[in-house]
Amino acid sequence: MANSQLNSGNPRVDIEYRRKKSAEEMRHHVVSFALMIFLTLIAFAAVAIKGFSAWFIVPFILLLAVVQVIFQLYYFMHMSHKGHEAPSMFLYSGVLVGAVTILAFSTIIWW
Amino acid sequence: MHAEEKLTYETWPAEPEKSTLEAKNKFLGFWFFLGGETVLFASLFATYLALKDKVPDSTHHLAKDLFELPLTFVATMLLLTSSLTSVYAMYHMKNFNAKKMNLWLVITLLLGAAFLVLEIYEFNHYVHEFHHTFTSSAFGSAFYTLVGFHGGHVAFGLLWITTLIVRNAKRGLDLYNAPKFYVASLYWHFIDVVWVFIFTVVYLMGMVG
């Protein structure tokens, strides 16, 4: 996030600052990894524990998948950093076209 | 800064993956490719959803007869962990530590290879125990195309990262190869993004019915 403007004019200070910043970011990555594992566990548990209806489980695990992918994209793939405007546009255009395709294919089998 | 410049720990830039023109182009171009990959996998998912459990007669097995939670769970954990290890590799790349970066990339490769072994075992199991093959039904074709395409991406990623490590083993880090490593790690994360939807839509939803 704050990794782009790091020039104080003193290279030593910059390095110290940058190292600290990236160590801090690495800690955030570990936290988001723990959350991703947690979401996966809930999704598997929801299916393993028989008793919930499919009408609840399917939207629920899809939501968990979307949340987990947001973590992956914004933290692991650094989309939360500056300078990711074009990547966001590329990815979301892909998501839009993909969503229309999935919508078309799944409605075609309903009627 | 230019690509062949010999850099030290002190002169290594904050964003080595984007500090030359070539690197900027590579970064942008690769994200464009990932946008295209999103569309590719979305159409395979759409096909799978439309053809799920579409079999010619009752002798064929359906999704809920085939899939087993424990195998999918182990595969998911392997791939998810490999995503974290490649984040570690990029952390060391930013700190100009080629040795540690390579170490974490090798761990990533091992986890990815373990995932691929599980997938090959799984496909082999379906073919021999359930006669669920690519040509046995529309369901089979859609399933193997979607999951197989993902497996193919994992195999390609393994070859790609291995090649990068071997090619740059004695060279150390510079602004020529840092963007290459960065882009490969983006690819590896994207494989994990696709897998999150595969284990949810194909396996978990398949077992729900």
Side-chain angles (χ1 to χ4, degrees):
Chain A
M1 275 153 262
N3 256 1
S4 17
Q5 284 149 348
L6 302 166
N7 288 319
S8 67
N10 180 344
R12 261 277 138 221
V13 174
D14 287 346
I15 286 171
E16 293 296 318
Y17 178 71
R18 244 160 55 193
R19 276 222 106 159
K20 244 188 206 152
K21 271 280 160 206
S22 49
E24 190 185 297
E25 201 193 20
M26 200 56 235
R27 272 195 297 279
H28 292 166
H29 284 319
V30 175
V31 171
S32 49
F33 175 71
L35 281 169
M36 281 153 68
I37 294 281
F38 181 63
L39 293 174
T40 308
L41 285 174
I42 297 177
F44 274 85
V47 175
I49 302 164
K50 312 250 187 279
F52 295 110
S53 84
W55 289 104
F56 168 70
I57 293 181
V58 171
F60 179 63
I61 58 178
L62 280 174
L63 180 73
L64 292 183
V66 170
V67 173
Q68 185 172 336
V69 161
I70 289 171
F71 273 114
Q72 185 85 237
L73 289 169
Y74 279 86
Y75 293 99
F76 283 15
M77 293 169 82
H78 312 293
M79 264 174 69
S80 61
H81 285 196
K82 273 182 193 159
H84 281 73
E85 294 79 10
S88 305
M89 194 196 77
F90 295 154
L91 190 81
Y92 285 116
S93 308
V95 168
L96 182 72
V97 175
V100 172
T101 314
I102 290 172
L103 188 72
F105 275 55
S106 29
T107 46
I108 231 170
I109 56 160
W110 283 343
W111 286 288
Chain B
M1 282 187 220
H2 59 92
E4 275 80 27
E5 205 173 318
K6 275 280 159 223
L7 292 164
T8 63
Y9 177 68
E10 274 75 23
T11 53
W12 190 239
E15 288 186 320
E17 74 277 10
K18 283 190 278 185
S19 38
T20 64
L21 180 63
E22 187 187 333
K24 283 189 186 93
N25 289 337
K26 199 164 270 170
F27 175 81
L28 212 57
F30 197 78
W31 272 101
F32 188 70
F33 165 72
L34 288 184
E37 288 271 281
T38 308
V39 177
L40 167 78
F41 276 105
S43 24
L44 294 179
F45 270 108
T47 313
Y48 175 81
L49 285 169
L51 296 177
K52 184 194 165 213
D53 289 346
K54 297 285 187 288
V55 290
D57 57 62
S58 58
T59 61
H60 290 79
H61 293 276
L62 302 180
K64 60 177 178 0
D65 313 317
L66 292 169
F67 304 148
E68 283 164 37
L69 268 185
L71 186 81
T72 311
F73 184 73
V74 174
T76 303
M77 286 301 140
L78 285 172
L79 211 59
L80 211 61
T81 311
S82 82
S83 203
L84 180 75
T85 56
S86 73
V87 170
Y88 269 110
M90 286 311 104
Y91 168 69
H92 291 299
M93 184 275 277
K94 293 215 171 186
N95 283 339
F96 199 58
N97 191 336
K99 237 189 197 147
K100 280 193 174 162
M101 179 192 73
N102 281 327
L103 174 72
W104 284 105
L105 284 178
V106 169
I107 297 172
T108 306
L109 287 176
L110 292 176
L111 290 165
F115 172 86
L116 211 57
V117 168
L118 275 187
E119 186 151 280
I120 291 166
Y121 162 79
E122 185 199 350
F123 283 6
N124 186 55
H125 180 71
Y126 294 158
V127 169
H128 291 102
E129 301 293 318
F130 295 95
H131 303 292
H132 176 69
T133 67
F134 191 82
T135 50
S136 65
S137 63
F139 171 45
S141 310
F143 170 79
Y144 286 113
T145 308
L146 171 59
V147 184
F149 241 94
H150 175 268
H153 274 74
V154 174
F156 181 79
L158 292 178
L159 287 176
W160 181 4
I161 296 175
T162 309
T163 313
L164 276 181
I165 294 174
V166 173
R167 167 74 180 82
N168 297 296
K170 289 185 180 155
R171 173 189 271 234
L173 273 166
D174 56 32
L175 294 179
Y176 172 70
N177 60 25
K180 290 175 187 281
F181 283 111
Y182 185 83
V183 153
S185 91
L186 282 184
Y187 177 82
W188 196 259
H189 291 309
F190 187 78
I191 287 175
D192 200 48
V193 165
V194 174
W195 180 254
V196 169
F197 285 113
I198 290 185
F199 86 68
T200 305
V201 173
V202 177
Y203 293 95
L204 293 183
M205 275 165 62
M207 261 172 289
V208 170

